[in-house]
């Protein structure tokens, strides 16, 4: 069974610090990885996608992928209180197969 | 930019009633996914459609059915509702790139409460 594992948290960081969120996946066939941000009672919002090994940066967000270690991470620089949310890691093996989500990590940025 | 539209946003039903949730995907997106999310849980995949044909099936109860219509909108039909069906129901859509897993965008969800 395909699984995506995340530390549920909560992860607390001070405002302005770097938040580091981690995710591992079980299916070596997974090719595409996504980070979604979800505020309580709201829908998941796509913030990053990554397909190849290495780093991908978009503004304050950096996604890192290591397929050999089956590990994905998300770094949030200069964390803001508005970043406080649950971050969901998701993996897909190919094409339009459905996302497999981790249980999410709750991030709290303290002002 | 157009997003995924879901209706209704909130729905209250009694046990054993039926409910129909609707989803209008992003224009030109060819794949629709339905997810169920209970309180404090991650989204659980129910069912998906590609080009109006069922493509994948997850943990969808037999009491539920879904379809995608010629205009690409999708409906999730839920019968014999149980208290445990109370959850947020999300629809997501994507455009199949043919290679890597495609980015899926979520609608605002329907909050179903069964009383």
């Amino acid at each position: 069974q395909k699984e995506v594992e995340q530390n549920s948290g909560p992860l607390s960081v001070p405002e302005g610090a770097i938040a580091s969120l981690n995710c591992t996946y079980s299916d070596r066939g997974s090719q595409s990885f996504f980070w979604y941000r979800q505020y309580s009672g709201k829908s998941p919002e796509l913030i990053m996608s990554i397909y190849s090994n290495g780093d991908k940066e978009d503004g304050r967000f950096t996604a890192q992928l290591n397929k050999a270690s089956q590990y994905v991470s998300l770094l949030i620089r200069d964390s803001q209180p508005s970043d406080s949310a649950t971050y969901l890691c998701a993996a897909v093996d190919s094409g339009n197969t459905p996302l497999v989500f981790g249980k999410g990590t709750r991030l709290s940025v303290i002002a | 930019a157009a997003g995924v539209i879901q209706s209704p946003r909130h729905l209250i039903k009694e046990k054993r009633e039926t409910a129909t949730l609707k989803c209008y995907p992003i224009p030109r997106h060819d794949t629709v996914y339905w997810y169920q999310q209970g309180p404090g849980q991650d989204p659980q995949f129910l069912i998906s459609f590609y080009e109006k044909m069922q493509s994948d099936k997850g943990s969808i109860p037999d009491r539920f059915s879904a379809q995608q219509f010629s205009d690409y909108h999708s409906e999730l039909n839920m019968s014999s509702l149980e208290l445990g069906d109370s959850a947020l129901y999300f629809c997501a859509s994507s455009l199949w790139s043919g290679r890597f897993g495609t980015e899926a965008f979520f609608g605002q969800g329907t909050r179903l409460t069964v009383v």
Side-chain angles (χ1 to χ4, degrees):
Chain A
Q1 182 167 346
K2 302 174 185 177
E3 291 185 342
V4 175
E5 300 285 342
Q6 294 181 257
N7 187 324
S8 62
L11 172 66
S12 295
V13 299
E15 183 176 359
I18 296 175
S20 178
L21 305 165
N22 305 314
C23 167
T24 59
Y25 59 95
S26 64
D27 182 13
R28 284 199 171 274
S30 296
Q31 295 188 29
S32 307
F33 305 89
F34 307 92
W35 284 98
Y36 286 83
R37 177 176 62 198
Q38 187 174 29
Y39 295 109
S40 180
K42 304 297 184 183
S43 62
E45 175 192 7
L46 179 66
I47 55 173
M48 288 288 284
S49 57
I50 187 164
Y51 306 103
S52 51
N53 283 326
D55 295 359
K56 179 182 178 182
E57 186 175 321
D58 184 0
R60 295 187 296 114
F61 299 100
T62 298
Q64 300 173 317
L65 173 60
N66 184 325
K67 290 187 177 181
S69 302
Q70 295 177 243
Y71 175 86
V72 192
S73 67
L74 179 70
L75 300 178
I76 306 175
R77 289 181 298 282
D78 188 23
S79 296
Q80 301 297 309
S82 59
D83 295 326
S84 298
T86 296
Y87 288 80
L88 296 162
C89 175
V92 169
D93 52 9
S94 65
N96 59 357
T97 54
L99 297 161
V100 177
F101 283 96
K103 295 194 180 302
T105 298
R106 190 156 49 94
L107 173 66
S108 178
V109 180
I110 310 300
Chain B
V4 178
I5 306 297
Q6 290 187 246
S7 67
R9 293 291 309 280
H10 302 274
L11 192 57
I12 299 176
K13 291 286 186 179
E14 296 188 353
K15 284 192 302 183
R16 292 180 288 279
E17 284 193 318
T18 61
T20 297
L21 310 184
K22 296 186 178 182
C23 169
Y24 295 85
I26 292 171
R28 293 184 296 282
H29 277 197
D30 53 21
T31 306
V32 167
Y33 313 83
W34 285 96
Y35 284 85
Q36 176 192 58
Q37 187 174 30
Q41 304 295 314
D42 56 296
Q44 294 296 309
F45 170 68
L46 295 178
I47 195 166
S48 63
F49 294 87
Y50 169 67
E51 286 291 346
K52 295 159 278 186
M53 298 290 290
Q54 181 183 310
S55 54
D56 283 283
K57 196 170 184 180
S59 52
I60 184 169
D62 292 341
R63 300 176 288 109
F64 294 5
S65 65
Q67 57 183 324
Q68 188 177 28
F69 295 86
S70 58
D71 64 352
Y72 290 89
H73 95 272
S74 178
E75 294 184 4
L76 178 65
N77 299 293
M78 311 160 72
S79 63
S80 303
L81 287 169
E82 302 174 356
L83 295 178
D85 295 328
S86 296
L88 274 168
Y89 289 82
F90 292 111
C91 172
S93 74
S94 69
L95 176 62
W96 187 33
S97 68
R99 190 181 176 192
F100 296 114
T102 50
E103 296 177 338
F105 298 90
F106 283 75
Q108 293 178 296
T110 295
R111 180 175 294 280
L112 172 67
T113 303
V114 181
V115 297

